[in-house]
Amino acid sequence: MNKPIRITQRADATEDGYDRVLSFLRDELMSGRLKTGDRLLPERDLASALGVSRPVIREALTALSTLGAVEIRRGYGTVVREPNFTALADYFGLVLAQQAGAVDDVMQARIAIERQAIRLACTRALAPDLERLSQALQAIKETIDDPARGGAADFHFHSMLVEAAHSPALSSVYAAVAKLLRESHLERRKVIASVPQVDAYLIDHHEALLSAVRRRNPAEADALLTEHFEIGANLRVDAAAAEAQPRGKKRSTQRA
């Protein structure tokens, strides 16, 4: 679509310029009056309708363009874009990186998202979703001896679980923090790489998760995923303890 949209009512006059533009776009999108591909009014008309200056409109649209919400096309105008969560992932990465304990907080958010996602996947997953999960599981098996590639394959499996839930909200939030989650996932995988029997655990537990989804059993899937994260946390503790042992004691333990 490329028709210019019309403004049916002003934004709250108490909002500043950026917030007025943002509120306007949000309200228009939620009402269905504005859709991906629609062209906004020219800056002059938009500024007049929202009661702000053209520089404020330009600044707000530039910021929204950076977030991937709109696309500014020279000689054509500003067009609503399909949501781009890569930009949001960069934003969250910068913000959370400055906060103490950010990685642990993001991990807790991941657990909450995935637990709900796997329950939904048990009732909503379609044949193509199950096939993608099977392929992701196969990738885990094929890369089990490589912490970097294996960690990426592991994270992809969990991403496919979220997609299988067919919940735009969950997928959007997950995508927004995906970069942080992926980096955390890879680091954690490297930490537990030296733990005995970890390869068998990684394969067996992911197989069990997929099996529960195939059987359409939300309670079992949720319990398995909860256990999956708990075991992963325990493995990291074991790995850290082993690394903290004196060098000679570690060699003695390994010989035993």
Side-chain angles (χ1 to χ4, degrees):
M1 298 175 66
N2 57 13
K3 65 178 187 300
I5 54 87
R6 296 181 179 278
I7 298 176
T8 57
Q9 66 180 51
R10 286 181 182 274
D12 186 346
T14 63
E15 295 177 314
D16 64 26
Y18 177 84
D19 287 339
R20 290 193 198 186
V21 179
L22 185 61
S23 295
F24 157 68
L25 285 177
R26 182 180 62 245
D27 293 344
E28 294 295 303
L29 287 166
M30 291 182 67
S31 69
R33 291 188 295 268
L34 187 63
K35 299 179 177 63
T36 299
D38 282 350
R39 178 159 50 103
L40 300 183
L41 290 169
E43 287 183 3
R44 178 182 302 170
D45 296 338
L46 198 56
S48 176
L50 293 177
V52 298
S53 67
R54 290 184 66 181
V56 168
I57 289 291
R58 194 171 299 119
E59 180 183 358
L61 293 179
T62 299
L64 291 171
S65 175
T66 301
L67 291 175
V70 299
E71 178 183 358
I72 301 174
R73 301 178 184 174
R74 291 187 179 278
Y76 182 78
T78 302
V79 179
V80 179
R81 288 187 56 182
E82 190 77 25
N84 181 359
F85 294 102
T86 301
L88 285 179
D90 292 335
Y91 172 77
F92 279 121
L94 288 172
V95 173
L96 292 174
Q98 302 179 51
Q99 300 181 14
V103 173
D104 289 336
D105 285 344
V106 170
M107 186 63 185
Q108 293 305 313
R110 175 192 172 190
I111 293 172
I113 293 170
E114 288 194 28
R115 286 188 61 186
Q116 177 62 12
I118 200 169
R119 294 184 70 89
L120 291 175
C122 287
T123 58
R124 298 181 180 180
L126 305 174
D129 298 311
L130 297 176
E131 178 58 28
R132 282 189 286 270
L133 281 166
S134 295
Q135 292 173 359
L137 176 60
Q138 183 59 33
I140 289 176
K141 295 177 179 179
E142 293 173 355
T143 59
I144 198 66
D145 295 324
D146 185 331
R149 293 174 59 227
D154 193 328
F155 181 68
H156 179 66
F157 178 92
H158 287 265
S159 298
M160 291 301 96
L161 274 179
V162 176
E163 291 302 308
H166 291 279
S167 168
L170 288 180
S171 294
S172 297
V173 175
Y174 201 78
V177 293
K179 186 170 291 187
L180 283 175
L181 292 180
R182 189 175 187 276
E183 292 175 0
S184 172
H185 203 92
L186 293 178
E187 286 302 314
R188 291 165 188 266
R189 180 66 176 271
K190 291 176 183 177
V191 168
I192 66 172
S194 61
V195 175
Q197 305 301 316
V198 70
D199 293 354
Y201 152 72
L202 289 170
I203 292 174
D204 292 347
H205 225 268
H206 284 94
E207 284 184 333
L209 289 171
L210 177 53
S211 180
V213 175
R214 287 187 182 279
R215 290 198 298 273
R216 309 288 182 180
N217 191 325
E220 178 189 6
D222 185 17
L224 280 169
L225 188 61
T226 301
E227 180 185 7
H228 184 77
F229 285 120
E230 289 176 350
I231 292 176
N234 291 334
L235 287 174
R236 289 189 294 277
V237 171
D238 292 344
E243 185 63 26
Q245 287 182 355
R247 190 180 298 263
K249 187 174 182 180
K250 281 199 286 188
R251 282 200 298 267
S252 174
T253 302
Q254 290 170 354
R255 284 197 299 271

